[in-house]
Amino acid sequence: MNARPLHRQLQSLAADETGIDQFCEQAVKYIKDSNDKFDWVGIYLAHENRLHLPSNYFQGPDPDHKEISFSEGICGASASEKSTITVDDVNSDPRYLACSIHTRSEIVVPIIYNDELLGVLDLDSDAPAAFGKEERTALEDAARVIGEYLGRNS
Ligand code: SME
């Protein structure tokens, strides 16, 4: 755990001008390390109504779903609605695409810059209802910094 708030760590990382791949790879590490309940963290990038997970843009077990259409999954729903979706119990949400049998809850936060959807920040937890108000706010702040970085550098 780092004493600085997550979005401050990401702002410092953005100021380092490391390049998009290194930024995203380090960003998911910072995010995963910020909370013991975050068991999987990934940044999917949007392209032509599909989401793609570049290699190393995730922390946690290698997932089955590296490409997701906007019409599939919690990730696709968040991308098409451009809104955060929190699922307290993934087993009761028919949209859920399973990546790990251990996952119990999920949050997907859209990454937006100047109203354009650039991707989504996806987190899974092995604990039920792991993403409360505090976690959601921290992750939406994080997604805003990621959006600004990607929007200005891609
Ligand atoms: N559960 C996601 C798919 C991605 S994996 O969790 C990494 C979904 O329903 O869109």
Side-chain angles (χ1 to χ4, degrees), residues 40 44 53 63 65 68 72-76 95-100 103 106 108 122 124:
W40 192 91
Y44 284 84
L53 181 71
H65 302 283
I68 301 173
E72 300 174 306
I74 315 291
C75 288
R95 297 171 298 183
Y96 174 65
L97 291 174
C99 276
S100 158
T103 298
E106 175 161 13
V108 185
D122 179 23
D124 292 340

Short mmCIF file of all heavy atoms in Angstrom, two decimals, residues 40 44 53 63 65 68 72-76 95-100 103 106 108 122 124, ligand 1:
data_model
loop_
_atom_site.label_atom_id
_atom_site.label_comp_id
_atom_site.label_asym_id
_atom_site.label_seq_id
_atom_site.Cartn_x
_atom_site.Cartn_y
_atom_site.Cartn_z
N TRP A 40 -7.99 -8.72 -9.60
CA TRP A 40 -7.62 -8.63 -11.04
C TRP A 40 -7.92 -7.20 -11.48
O TRP A 40 -8.98 -6.64 -11.17
CB TRP A 40 -8.45 -9.63 -11.87
CG TRP A 40 -7.92 -9.79 -13.26
CD1 TRP A 40 -7.00 -10.70 -13.68
CD2 TRP A 40 -8.26 -8.99 -14.41
NE1 TRP A 40 -6.74 -10.52 -15.02
CE2 TRP A 40 -7.51 -9.48 -15.49
CE3 TRP A 40 -9.12 -7.93 -14.63
CZ2 TRP A 40 -7.59 -8.95 -16.78
CZ3 TRP A 40 -9.21 -7.39 -15.91
CH2 TRP A 40 -8.45 -7.90 -16.97
N TYR A 44 -8.73 -2.28 -20.79
CA TYR A 44 -9.09 -2.65 -22.16
C TYR A 44 -9.16 -1.37 -22.99
O TYR A 44 -9.71 -0.36 -22.54
CB TYR A 44 -10.48 -3.31 -22.19
CG TYR A 44 -10.55 -4.73 -21.70
CD1 TYR A 44 -10.66 -5.01 -20.34
CD2 TYR A 44 -10.55 -5.80 -22.58
CE1 TYR A 44 -10.75 -6.33 -19.89
CE2 TYR A 44 -10.65 -7.12 -22.13
CZ TYR A 44 -10.74 -7.38 -20.79
OH TYR A 44 -10.83 -8.67 -20.35
N LEU A 53 -7.61 -6.22 -24.84
CA LEU A 53 -6.72 -6.16 -23.68
C LEU A 53 -5.29 -6.41 -24.16
O LEU A 53 -4.91 -7.56 -24.46
CB LEU A 53 -7.12 -7.24 -22.67
CG LEU A 53 -6.30 -7.30 -21.39
CD1 LEU A 53 -6.60 -6.09 -20.50
CD2 LEU A 53 -6.60 -8.58 -20.62
N PRO A 63 -6.44 -13.76 -18.36
CA PRO A 63 -7.89 -13.96 -18.55
C PRO A 63 -8.23 -14.61 -19.90
O PRO A 63 -7.48 -14.47 -20.85
CB PRO A 63 -8.43 -12.53 -18.50
CG PRO A 63 -7.32 -11.70 -19.06
CD PRO A 63 -6.02 -12.39 -18.70
N HIS A 65 -10.90 -13.71 -21.67
CA HIS A 65 -11.55 -12.72 -22.55
C HIS A 65 -10.63 -11.53 -22.79
O HIS A 65 -10.63 -10.57 -22.03
CB HIS A 65 -12.87 -12.26 -21.94
CG HIS A 65 -13.82 -13.38 -21.70
ND1 HIS A 65 -14.54 -13.97 -22.71
CD2 HIS A 65 -14.15 -14.05 -20.59
CE1 HIS A 65 -15.27 -14.94 -22.23
NE2 HIS A 65 -15.05 -15.01 -20.93
N ILE A 68 -13.51 -8.25 -26.32
CA ILE A 68 -14.92 -8.26 -25.91
C ILE A 68 -15.66 -7.24 -26.77
O ILE A 68 -15.23 -6.09 -26.89
CB ILE A 68 -15.06 -7.88 -24.41
CG1 ILE A 68 -14.28 -8.85 -23.52
CG2 ILE A 68 -16.52 -7.83 -23.99
CD1 ILE A 68 -14.22 -8.45 -22.05
N GLU A 72 -21.24 -7.45 -25.33
CA GLU A 72 -21.02 -8.59 -24.42
C GLU A 72 -20.49 -8.14 -23.07
O GLU A 72 -19.68 -7.21 -23.01
CB GLU A 72 -19.92 -9.53 -24.96
CG GLU A 72 -20.13 -10.16 -26.28
CD GLU A 72 -18.86 -10.93 -26.69
OE1 GLU A 72 -17.77 -10.34 -26.70
OE2 GLU A 72 -19.00 -12.11 -26.98
N GLY A 73 -20.86 -8.89 -22.05
CA GLY A 73 -20.22 -8.75 -20.74
C GLY A 73 -20.53 -7.45 -20.01
O GLY A 73 -21.20 -6.55 -20.54
N ILE A 74 -20.02 -7.37 -18.80
CA ILE A 74 -20.15 -6.14 -18.01
C ILE A 74 -19.29 -5.06 -18.68
O ILE A 74 -19.66 -3.88 -18.71
CB ILE A 74 -19.64 -6.35 -16.55
CG1 ILE A 74 -20.15 -7.66 -15.93
CG2 ILE A 74 -19.98 -5.14 -15.69
CD1 ILE A 74 -21.58 -7.71 -15.64
N CYS A 75 -18.13 -5.49 -19.21
CA CYS A 75 -17.24 -4.54 -19.86
C CYS A 75 -17.92 -3.88 -21.06
O CYS A 75 -17.87 -2.66 -21.23
CB CYS A 75 -15.96 -5.24 -20.33
SG CYS A 75 -14.87 -5.69 -18.98
N GLY A 76 -18.57 -4.69 -21.89
CA GLY A 76 -19.25 -4.15 -23.06
C GLY A 76 -20.39 -3.23 -22.67
O GLY A 76 -20.60 -2.18 -23.30
N ARG A 95 -25.20 -10.77 -17.60
CA ARG A 95 -24.26 -10.19 -18.57
C ARG A 95 -22.83 -10.67 -18.33
O ARG A 95 -21.98 -10.56 -19.19
CB ARG A 95 -24.27 -8.65 -18.46
CG ARG A 95 -25.58 -8.03 -18.79
CD ARG A 95 -25.57 -6.54 -18.45
NE ARG A 95 -25.36 -6.30 -17.02
CZ ARG A 95 -25.36 -5.10 -16.45
NH1 ARG A 95 -25.54 -4.02 -17.18
NH2 ARG A 95 -25.16 -4.96 -15.15
N TYR A 96 -22.57 -11.17 -17.13
CA TYR A 96 -21.20 -11.46 -16.69
C TYR A 96 -20.51 -12.51 -17.56
O TYR A 96 -21.03 -13.59 -17.78
CB TYR A 96 -21.24 -11.91 -15.23
CG TYR A 96 -19.91 -12.37 -14.69
CD1 TYR A 96 -18.85 -11.48 -14.55
CD2 TYR A 96 -19.71 -13.71 -14.32
CE1 TYR A 96 -17.63 -11.91 -14.05
CE2 TYR A 96 -18.49 -14.13 -13.82
CZ TYR A 96 -17.46 -13.23 -13.69
OH TYR A 96 -16.25 -13.65 -13.21
N LEU A 97 -19.30 -12.17 -18.03
CA LEU A 97 -18.44 -13.13 -18.73
C LEU A 97 -17.39 -13.59 -17.73
O LEU A 97 -16.59 -12.79 -17.26
CB LEU A 97 -17.71 -12.45 -19.90
CG LEU A 97 -18.50 -11.99 -21.11
CD1 LEU A 97 -17.57 -11.22 -22.05
CD2 LEU A 97 -19.10 -13.18 -21.82
N ALA A 98 -17.37 -14.88 -17.44
CA ALA A 98 -16.48 -15.37 -16.38
C ALA A 98 -15.04 -15.46 -16.85
O ALA A 98 -14.75 -15.92 -17.96
CB ALA A 98 -16.95 -16.74 -15.91
N CYS A 99 -14.14 -14.99 -16.01
CA CYS A 99 -12.71 -15.13 -16.27
C CYS A 99 -12.07 -16.01 -15.21
O CYS A 99 -11.06 -16.66 -15.47
CB CYS A 99 -12.02 -13.77 -16.32
SG CYS A 99 -12.16 -12.98 -17.93
N SER A 100 -12.61 -15.99 -14.00
CA SER A 100 -12.05 -16.82 -12.93
C SER A 100 -13.21 -17.35 -12.09
O SER A 100 -14.16 -16.61 -11.81
CB SER A 100 -11.14 -15.96 -12.04
OG SER A 100 -11.01 -16.55 -10.76
N THR A 103 -13.91 -15.27 -8.83
CA THR A 103 -14.44 -13.89 -8.82
C THR A 103 -15.86 -13.85 -8.25
O THR A 103 -16.72 -14.65 -8.63
CB THR A 103 -14.45 -13.31 -10.25
OG1 THR A 103 -13.10 -13.25 -10.71
CG2 THR A 103 -15.05 -11.90 -10.28
N GLU A 106 -17.43 -7.32 -9.29
CA GLU A 106 -16.70 -6.67 -10.39
C GLU A 106 -17.13 -5.20 -10.49
O GLU A 106 -18.27 -4.86 -10.16
CB GLU A 106 -17.04 -7.39 -11.70
CG GLU A 106 -16.45 -6.74 -12.95
CD GLU A 106 -16.39 -7.68 -14.16
OE1 GLU A 106 -17.03 -8.75 -14.13
OE2 GLU A 106 -15.70 -7.33 -15.13
N VAL A 108 -16.61 -2.00 -13.51
CA VAL A 108 -16.03 -1.55 -14.78
C VAL A 108 -16.29 -0.05 -14.89
O VAL A 108 -17.44 0.40 -14.77
CB VAL A 108 -16.64 -2.29 -15.99
CG1 VAL A 108 -15.92 -1.87 -17.27
CG2 VAL A 108 -16.55 -3.80 -15.81
N ASP A 122 -11.23 -2.36 -15.73
CA ASP A 122 -12.03 -3.49 -15.22
C ASP A 122 -11.35 -4.08 -13.99
O ASP A 122 -10.13 -4.35 -14.02
CB ASP A 122 -12.13 -4.56 -16.33
CG ASP A 122 -12.91 -5.79 -15.89
OD1 ASP A 122 -13.72 -5.69 -14.96
OD2 ASP A 122 -12.70 -6.86 -16.52
N ASP A 124 -11.83 -7.11 -10.81
CA ASP A 124 -12.55 -8.23 -10.21
C ASP A 124 -12.06 -8.42 -8.79
O ASP A 124 -10.89 -8.16 -8.48
CB ASP A 124 -12.24 -9.53 -10.97
CG ASP A 124 -12.79 -9.55 -12.37
OD1 ASP A 124 -13.71 -8.77 -12.67
OD2 ASP A 124 -12.28 -10.36 -13.17
N1 SME B 1 -16.01 -10.15 -16.46
C1 SME B 1 -15.82 -9.31 -17.61
C2 SME B 1 -14.90 -9.95 -18.61
C3 SME B 1 -13.46 -9.64 -18.37
S1 SME B 1 -12.75 -10.55 -17.15
O1 SME B 1 -13.39 -10.28 -15.87
C4 SME B 1 -11.14 -10.12 -16.99
C5 SME B 1 -17.16 -8.98 -18.24
O2 SME B 1 -18.18 -9.54 -17.85
O3 SME B 1 -17.20 -8.16 -19.16
#
